Amino acid sequence: MVKRSKVEVAILGAGTAGMGAYRAARKHTDSLALIEGAHYGTTCARVGCMPSKLLIAAAEAAQDTRHADLFGVRTGGVTIDGPAVMKRVRAERDRFVGFVLEAVEGFPEAHRFRGHARFLSPHRLRVGDNHEIEADRIVIATGSRPNIPGFLKAAENRLVVNDDIFEWQDLPDSVAVFGPGVIGLELGQALSRLGVRVRMFGAGGAIGPIQDPEIRQCALDTFNDEFPLNPDADTRKIEHRPDGVAITFVDGDGDVVTETFDYLLAATGRRPNIDGLDIQNADLELDDRGTPVFDRYTLRCGDSHIFIAGDVNNELPLLHEAADEGRIAGNNAGQYPEVRAGFRRVPLSVVFTDPQIATVGKTIQQVDKDCRGCFAVGSVSFEGQGRSRVIGRNRGLLRVYGEHGTGLFMGAEMFCPAAEHIGHLLAWAAQQRMTVSAMLDMPFYHPVIEEGVRTALRDLNRRLSMGPEVVENCLDCGPGG
């Protein structure tokens, strides 16, 4: 027998965006359904941000020990206890997930529904096998899942995704990583530093989110000093074998070689969980990927009563963006038919490799398009940057972009130490629409890595068609502050 319910707002998915939407909608109505078809606990807590940073933290500890000789500190070598590494990763991961579960369990039980949701019509949902929910408004926040190209499936049971890694009881001897995106770079470098033999395969030449060609080359050279990374690999064959997975490819010398690895990690992006919703029954306009067309400021799908937030909309798959989108979508669903544009922050993303990667504001291609070519670029290499040399992390490049005439700071890309902190400073400046000269009026302490930002901004200010002449370098430290 089919059970039927009616609510004002139904939210599909209880991840970061879904919980944000629920909290926002609840300010306007208590007639709610929060529907989850899989596990409670966000992607970030279970298989994303937090467990990956735990693995990276272990890798950083190992790398710091290896490099202690630089400072005259003799350690006698590094021993990796794989089971201990993974035990801490799982324990701390479970702790973070526990906080999310507590939050969900704090929602009224009458609002919580378990089961896979599918559209029967624009206002009707089938949840599981025997429950039908009619909703005046709907928020789609079903997240995403790993995308696995078909040819990788030849690895059979040796094929893993990031979700699987955090369940390992021990570290393997070797892993082939396909996809030098955010996930592949973070996990691949961490595994390499923890003693795992890693080789990374890419397609099309991309390195993480980097768009600036000079920074991409700097990153490629740096990563290849640690493990082989070909961003445009010629992979000939993947074959499952009793002792692992054999990969045949063309190496840097043009020779066809075969290497065997314990596992093949598919870090080939994520795909939105839209395909199992019977979205065709929602009467929405879909793009060529099958995702509803929506307004990024209201999250509304066309002129409908349906909103879409978080990774499922396939725009900005980042936790802080999912939280913002959930809040905007939930508010609009709760107060519908009044729909308001929500506040969208300046883009900011960070990749927790070493050196770190960060992108702020507009990419160099977007600046070129928006400024119609009327922009300048300033840069700094961290090889000579004072504080970076002191701590032995003097590799990387920062490039900053400004508009001729207005002098506005437009964006930046970097592959450098402390990029997670530098990125925040520059994102705040971009959101405040600061000029480059105004940014140079801000205080910079000495000696800090952020002095490299000042050097890059000085270079940019000199190249812009406006702005006063300023001193080029810190006399005490040389190029880069």
Side-chain angles (χ1 to χ4, degrees):
M1 182 178 178
V2 176
K3 182 179 179 180
R4 288 180 170 81
S5 304
K6 188 177 188 310
V7 297
E8 290 188 18
V9 178
I11 299 159
L12 314 186
T16 299
M19 288 194 293
Y22 171 83
R23 293 187 180 103
R26 198 177 176 192
K27 296 177 181 178
H28 304 280
T29 178
D30 198 49
S31 177
L32 294 157
L34 179 63
I35 304 165
E36 176 55 61
H39 301 290
Y40 286 129
T42 64
T43 295
C44 171
R46 280 191 179 277
V47 296
C49 319
M50 303 314 292
S52 66
K53 303 313 168 285
L54 287 162
L55 193 70
I56 290 167
E60 287 176 345
Q63 192 74 353
D64 287 344
T65 305
R66 291 189 188 98
H67 286 177
D69 278 358
L70 175 68
F71 306 98
V73 179
R74 312 303 178 202
T75 61
V78 176
T79 300
I80 305 297
D81 184 341
V85 169
M86 297 312 301
K87 181 179 180 180
R88 180 175 187 267
V89 168
R90 292 193 307 276
E92 289 295 319
R93 183 271 315 271
D94 292 345
R95 178 174 176 271
F96 290 122
V97 171
F99 294 142
V100 179
L101 298 181
E102 287 178 13
V104 175
E105 289 167 1
F107 301 155
E109 187 176 354
H111 291 176
R112 289 181 273 140
F113 295 79
R114 297 301 299 269
H116 178 71
R118 295 177 290 112
F119 279 91
L120 298 176
S121 71
H123 286 279
R124 290 170 50 240
L125 300 164
R126 174 63 63 88
V127 179
D129 296 325
N130 59 359
H131 201 144
E132 189 175 307
I133 296 177
E134 182 180 347
D136 295 332
R137 287 93 68 191
I138 297 170
V139 177
I140 302 172
T142 45
S144 63
R145 66 185 185 276
N147 178 56
I148 304 176
F151 78 99
L152 297 183
K153 295 178 181 179
E156 299 180 15
N157 65 335
R158 298 287 179 165
L159 175 66
V160 295
V161 295
N162 59 296
D163 306 39
D164 304 314
I165 286 179
F166 307 122
E167 297 301 329
W168 281 348
Q169 302 297 306
D170 195 358
L171 293 167
D173 291 328
S174 58
V175 174
V177 180
F178 275 74
V182 175
I183 294 172
L185 289 174
E186 287 188 347
L187 295 182
Q189 186 184 54
L191 290 170
S192 176
R193 291 183 168 188
L194 289 168
V196 178
R197 177 171 62 88
V198 168
R199 180 179 284 274
M200 195 170 294
F201 301 81
I207 302 290
I210 300 171
Q211 299 296 312
D212 192 304
E214 291 193 28
I215 296 179
R216 184 186 297 120
Q217 188 61 52
C218 177
L220 179 60
D221 293 342
T222 303
F223 286 128
N224 267 294
D225 285 344
E226 292 195 43
F227 52 86
L229 192 170
N230 186 341
D232 195 16
D234 183 357
T235 305
R236 299 293 177 86
K237 185 178 182 181
I238 296 173
E239 181 183 8
H240 178 271
R241 292 182 179 176
D243 59 341
V245 54
I247 301 174
T248 302
F249 59 95
V250 179
D251 69 8
D253 297 324
D255 299 325
V256 178
V257 298
T258 299
E259 287 188 22
T260 300
F261 301 85
D262 290 333
Y263 292 102
L264 188 161
L265 169 61
T268 42
R270 297 180 69 84
R271 61 185 301 177
N273 290 327
I274 200 76
D275 48 341
L277 298 180
D278 286 345
I279 196 70
Q280 71 278 1
N281 296 330
D283 290 348
L284 299 175
E285 180 186 358
L286 307 179
D287 63 18
D288 55 4
R289 298 171 298 183
T291 300
V293 176
F294 66 98
D295 183 312
R296 75 178 304 268
Y297 293 98
T298 65
L299 283 307
R300 187 183 186 186
C301 300
D303 60 356
S304 75
H305 59 284
I306 298 173
F307 302 82
I308 186 166
D311 289 7
V312 68
N313 67 33
N314 210 29
E315 186 186 43
L316 294 168
L318 301 167
L319 180 138
H320 64 278
E321 296 287 356
D324 284 351
E325 291 183 358
R327 173 179 46 79
I328 295 168
N331 272 325
N332 281 331
Q335 64 192 4
Y336 187 85
E338 181 181 356
V339 175
R340 299 178 182 176
F343 176 65
R344 301 307 302 266
R345 304 172 210 267
V346 161
L348 168 64
S349 69
V350 179
V351 184
F352 290 84
T353 51
D354 179 24
Q356 294 177 337
I357 301 167
T359 61
V360 174
K362 297 181 184 298
T363 67
I364 192 169
Q365 292 86 356
Q366 291 169 334
V367 172
D368 187 28
K369 178 181 177 182
D370 294 349
C371 298
R372 300 181 182 179
C374 292
F375 72 99
V377 179
S379 65
V380 62
S381 167
F382 283 82
E383 290 185 10
Q385 202 277 324
R387 175 68 173 172
S388 300
R389 288 194 68 86
V390 166
I391 63 176
R393 294 182 179 273
N394 52 315
R395 294 196 72 166
L397 181 66
L398 163 65
R399 304 244 293 167
V400 290
Y401 319 126
E403 184 179 40
H404 285 307
T406 65
L408 283 172
F409 171 67
M410 305 296 288
E413 280 197 9
M414 66 205 79
F415 175 69
C416 65
E420 61 182 294
H421 306 300
I422 292 172
H424 277 84
L425 290 178
L426 294 179
W428 295 352
Q431 190 154 305
Q432 292 296 315
R433 293 185 57 78
M434 293 180 71
T435 62
V436 175
S437 58
M439 294 166 71
L440 283 167
D441 286 338
M442 295 294 106
F444 289 85
Y445 199 75
H446 172 75
V448 294
I449 292 174
E450 284 78 2
E451 285 181 292
V453 176
R454 182 176 59 188
T455 301
L457 291 173
R458 284 172 170 171
D459 184 38
L460 174 58
N461 199 58
R462 190 182 69 252
R463 297 172 187 276
L464 286 170
S465 59
M466 62 173 293
E469 191 78 18
V470 290
V471 178
E472 175 67 16
N473 296 313
C474 168
L475 298 179
D476 292 333
C477 298

